[in-house]
Amino acid sequence: QVQLVESGGGLVQAGGSLRLSCAVSGSTFSLAGIDWYRQAPGKQREWVAGITSSGNIVYAGSVKGRFTISRDNAKNTVYLQMNSLKPEDTAVYYCNTGTRGQYWGQGTQVTVSS
């Protein structure tokens, strides 16, 4: 059974930084693409960034230049470094994987105060 556990969320002032982690177990992590999503209150879940097994990276336009996704295959962990945070980045952040994107973590709350 594939499990994803996010951590690193919290409360930060606008302009601050946070680093989220997504620890993955139960799969061949090095072969998996991992994506980050977020869901703000009253809004649909939106895709934020993704990293393939070979390290190719793509970002949503709203976070490009501020967020950095990376992976450590030795630790089965993907990171999301978030800099220059804005109040509109406030959301629950989820990591996702699977051949059909069927595996989700429980999410970690990020709150950015103005």
Side-chain angles (χ1 to χ4, degrees), residues 28-94:
T28 309
F29 176 80
S30 62
L31 302 180
I34 307 289
D35 292 276
W36 284 97
Y37 288 76
R38 66 187 182 186
Q39 188 166 19
K43 295 187 177 181
Q44 288 190 328
R45 191 171 296 189
E46 66 170 343
W47 174 80
V48 174
I51 185 167
T52 68
S53 57
S54 58
N56 293 320
I57 291 170
V58 187
Y59 297 100
S62 58
V63 307
K64 195 171 185 179
R66 301 188 297 121
F67 290 11
T68 302
I69 188 172
S70 62
R71 64 189 298 155
D72 185 337
N73 288 342
K75 295 183 178 180
N76 284 10
T77 300
V78 170
Y79 303 98
L80 187 67
Q81 177 68 44
M82 306 186 296
N83 298 329
S84 302
L85 283 162
K86 305 175 181 179
E88 52 264 44
D89 294 318
T90 295
V92 178
Y93 284 72
Y94 300 89

